[in-house]
Amino acid sequence: ESFENFIEMVTTDLVVLLDVDVVTLCVEALDDKAPLTEIEGVHVMSPGGVAEAMGDEDILLRDDAEGDPAVFGGGAGLVRSDALIRLKISDRTPPCLLGFGTRHPGYFNPGQGTELLHFLARIVEHCIRQWLGLPHPDR
């Protein structure tokens, strides 16, 4: 129904559908004056925060990890295994990532296949571009 409704679906419905404890969408601030967000499940990271969390990886799977408060906010203390996926929404948007966290160590692991996580990330990127009227980053 709205962009906010779509974000709510990503950050709440995917929790149930993927059997995880927390799903977040993280957007990097353009400067040190991070805007406040009122959308549940959306976290504003400091400049460079996505690169700090992801390194050079597009998908990072960790089987035994402490939840990062910059990614999972108040749910970070619950997280013991996570999947972080870099989002490439548009050349006009700041770096973003999608985070999945669970209380079960070993739920995600570095040897796990990532094709479906890639697919899900591309769908989320596409939907965000459509709602915001943004061009594809390769165009």
Side-chain angles (χ1 to χ4, degrees):
E1 295 178 16
S2 68
F3 179 65
E4 290 78 11
N5 183 245
F6 168 72
I7 298 300
E8 180 183 342
M9 288 174 59
V10 168
T11 60
T12 59
D13 292 357
L14 288 180
V15 167
V16 175
L17 293 171
L18 300 178
D19 192 27
V20 295
D21 294 298
V22 61
V23 176
T24 62
L25 177 64
C26 300
V27 180
E28 200 172 284
L30 296 175
D31 55 36
D32 289 329
K33 298 175 185 158
L36 297 177
T37 179
E38 298 294 325
I39 301 174
E40 183 74 26
V42 176
H43 299 278
V44 178
M45 299 180 83
S46 61
V50 171
E52 184 177 324
M54 300 293 299
D56 292 332
E57 303 296 326
D58 284 333
I59 291 188
L60 182 62
L61 303 176
R62 299 184 294 188
D63 56 356
D64 190 18
E66 289 187 26
D68 184 347
V71 174
F72 296 110
L78 195 62
V79 175
R80 291 296 167 257
S81 180
D82 62 13
L84 307 179
I85 308 161
R86 188 183 308 266
L87 298 178
K88 297 173 184 135
I89 297 167
S90 172
D91 292 334
R92 298 181 188 174
T93 60
C96 301
L97 71 82
L98 188 60
F100 301 98
T102 179
R103 68 182 79 213
H104 306 290
Y107 194 87
F108 296 105
N109 67 73
Q112 183 175 342
T114 59
E115 296 83 10
L116 293 176
L117 289 173
H118 271 287
F119 177 74
L120 179 58
R122 301 304 75 88
I123 296 299
V124 170
E125 291 168 350
H126 175 77
C127 290
I128 291 173
R129 276 194 296 276
Q130 293 301 304
W131 275 108
L132 299 180
L134 295 168
H136 193 280
D138 297 331
R139 297 184 187 132

